[in-house]
DNA sequence: TGGGTTCTTATGGGATATCATGGGAAATCA
DNA sequence: TGATTTCCCATGATATCCCATAAGAACCCA
């Protein structure tokens, strides 16, 4: 499988529920995580979501510091305090919590963006802006470092 | 096998399906990838498609950055947010998504262009234009012109 | 070499399954 | 007990599966 890829926009219903895109559910099922792991992104108005693979990545971060140390505590609060573990109902829907609403500005629609090992949850319009920016940035990053691709993509 | 070579133009049916050329299907079968991996090209109105070999190429690009960092996120959105993982039905057909339609301008016909480790999906007329340009460029490169002459980004 | 035969391939279309979404009813919480 | 959450079912739209067919390519055998 190719992990979380592509992006989808779904509607919130009157009860605050939204369908997680079916292809993403398939990836989560394979990952084996119970429900969904969510954590507010520290550098943009989106929420990171995923399963064990994302969680492992987060944990790796705090492992760099000795447990019980002030640094570790601070990081743990920042990371896990900003986390949630929403349930997924039998029809593959999650409810958007107040925390997610506040952090993302989501009102009636949700955009899910695949990022391979995780996906992000965005307010659609904010995502469009971020995406345009990300594309510019990606182009700059890739032409800066990749060995052979600056002068026109090799066939 | 020689990878994806030659090019083919097939018709879209009323349901938005199109047959992937049989020689390409043979290459994909050997590659072993589930379905098809597609990603919008950042520098022309085409979609890159392939299997594990293409995916590995894409993944290599983001490996240079630490996961969860702003750089990695931006790259992942640009790359994997613009990717898809379409199924291939029992008759070797894929459906052309809205994302591909918008990016390529495809309406009723699709041109598949072999590029060895991947192939591209084009609107036929746009491909003809691009091809004429590419041939000129190739000629210049082969006859030893300075690579700087590739200056004008095509399309 | 020629001509018939079989396979493969692209394409069409009907039947079926899946998905996103809505809403009622039961369960849970405060 | 009132409000919210969870579970379950309904529905329309879309996607998928499966089979049919026609044209062309490959094959075969005299």
């Amino acid at each position: 499988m190719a992990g979380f890829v592509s992006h989808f926009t779904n509607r919130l219903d009157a009860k605050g529920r939204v369908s997680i895109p079916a292809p993403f559910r398939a990836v989560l099922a394979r990952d084996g995580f119970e429900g969904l792991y969510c954590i507010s992104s520290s550098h943009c108005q989106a929420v990171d979501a995923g399963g064990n693979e994302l969680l492992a990545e987060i944990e790796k971060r705090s492992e760099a510091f000795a447990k019980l140390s002030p640094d570790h505590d601070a990081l743990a609060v920042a990371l896990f305090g900003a986390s949630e573990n929403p349930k997924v109902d039998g029809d593959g829907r999650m409810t958007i919590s107040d925390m997610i609403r506040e952090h993302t500005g989501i009102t009636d629609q949700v955009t899910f963006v695949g990022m391979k090992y995780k996906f992000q949850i965005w307010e659609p319009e904010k995502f469009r802006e971020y995406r345009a920016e990300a594309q510019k940035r990606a182009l700059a990053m890739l032409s800066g470092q990749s060995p052979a691709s600056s002068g026109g993509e090799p066939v």
Side-chain angles (χ1 to χ4, degrees), chain A:
Chain A
M1 246 289 192
F4 302 104
V5 296
S6 191
H7 64 274
F8 307 87
T9 298
N10 289 338
R11 218 185 326 275
L12 273 169
D13 69 14
K15 298 180 184 174
R17 301 173 299 185
V18 64
S19 290
I20 299 168
F24 288 8
R25 296 196 314 250
V27 178
L28 287 169
R30 171 177 297 225
D31 176 277
F33 191 77
E34 176 78 9
L36 188 65
Y37 181 74
C38 289
I39 176 167
S40 298
S41 168
S42 54
H43 54 81
C44 57
Q45 289 184 65
V47 170
D48 288 343
N52 287 312
E53 215 180 330
L54 171 61
L55 185 55
E57 209 55 53
I58 305 272
E59 282 173 341
K60 224 161 67 180
R61 287 243 151 166
S62 57
E63 275 166 19
F65 303 89
K67 276 181 186 144
L68 299 177
S69 73
D71 279 346
H72 185 281
D73 280 4
L75 198 55
V77 166
L79 292 178
F80 299 113
S83 296
E84 285 183 2
N85 197 351
K87 291 183 186 67
V88 178
D89 75 18
D91 300 324
R93 287 181 284 198
M94 65 180 288
T95 52
I96 298 296
S97 68
D98 288 345
M99 184 203 89
I100 296 183
R101 255 176 231 273
E102 278 161 32
H103 185 72
T104 59
I106 285 170
T107 57
D108 62 329
Q109 288 198 309
V110 182
T111 297
F112 298 84
V113 185
M115 295 169 72
K116 190 75 182 162
Y117 73 101
K118 70 179 181 188
F119 62 92
Q120 284 190 329
I121 295 173
W122 283 88
E123 189 283 320
E125 183 52 38
K126 290 211 169 66
F127 169 63
R128 251 168 263 141
E129 291 162 17
Y130 174 76
R131 189 193 190 191
E133 187 61 34
Q135 280 169 341
K136 260 186 269 175
R137 226 165 118 178
L139 222 54
M141 286 160 74
L142 292 173
S143 61
Q145 46 106 52
S146 87
S149 67
S150 25
E153 191 65 5
V155 257

